[in-house]
Amino acid sequence: MTEYTADAVSLLAYLVDALPRAADRIFAEAEAGETVVQAPSTAIAEVLYAVSRDKDVRGVTLTGTPDEARQALLDNGPVMLASIEDAELTEYALVIDELSIHDALTVASHRTRETDAIITSDGVIADAGYETVWN
């Protein structure tokens, strides 16, 4: 089964139904149980923080509570939590020099779990040589 790592930007866009076509297809496949979308715990934390601050995503204001967002992604949604543990921190230490904290943790999760690509609009991750999906 194909597996992906999702970053916070993709998760936020999913919550407001504003994903571009390729990313939306992956999330739809995950909803149907045909593929797996994993998100590092740090990405989930970023989403919950954004929801708590009523941040706009692609022109849509986030509504609801952080717990409702967590439920929409993890309990009732297509996302599996990928906790940051020792293996991810080991990978993180290898990539921290080339990426920001946020990007490095996403890449570390992707590398540790050997997912097929990262769902992100972040060009820095793609420029670093990691397979990404967005448009």
Side-chain angles (χ1 to χ4, degrees), residues 4-5 110 115-120 125-126 128-133:
Y4 298 91
T5 298
H110 161 71
T115 60
D116 294 277
I118 300 170
I119 307 168
T120 184
I125 292 175
Y130 299 98
E131 184 70 29
T132 62
V133 177

Side-chain angles (χ1 to χ4, degrees), residues 67-119:
D67 192 54
E68 289 169 337
R70 183 195 59 75
Q71 289 177 35
L73 293 170
L74 300 173
D75 294 346
N76 305 321
V79 180
M80 294 179 58
L81 182 63
S83 296
I84 300 296
E85 297 179 6
D86 189 53
E88 285 81 6
L89 292 175
T90 299
E91 288 297 320
Y92 174 74
L94 298 174
V95 298
I96 190 60
D97 288 341
E98 62 185 275
L99 300 164
S100 69
I101 292 171
H102 161 88
D103 291 349
L105 285 167
T106 300
V107 167
S109 182
H110 161 71
R111 287 173 50 150
T112 300
R113 296 168 187 283
E114 299 179 347
T115 60
D116 294 277
I118 300 170
I119 307 168

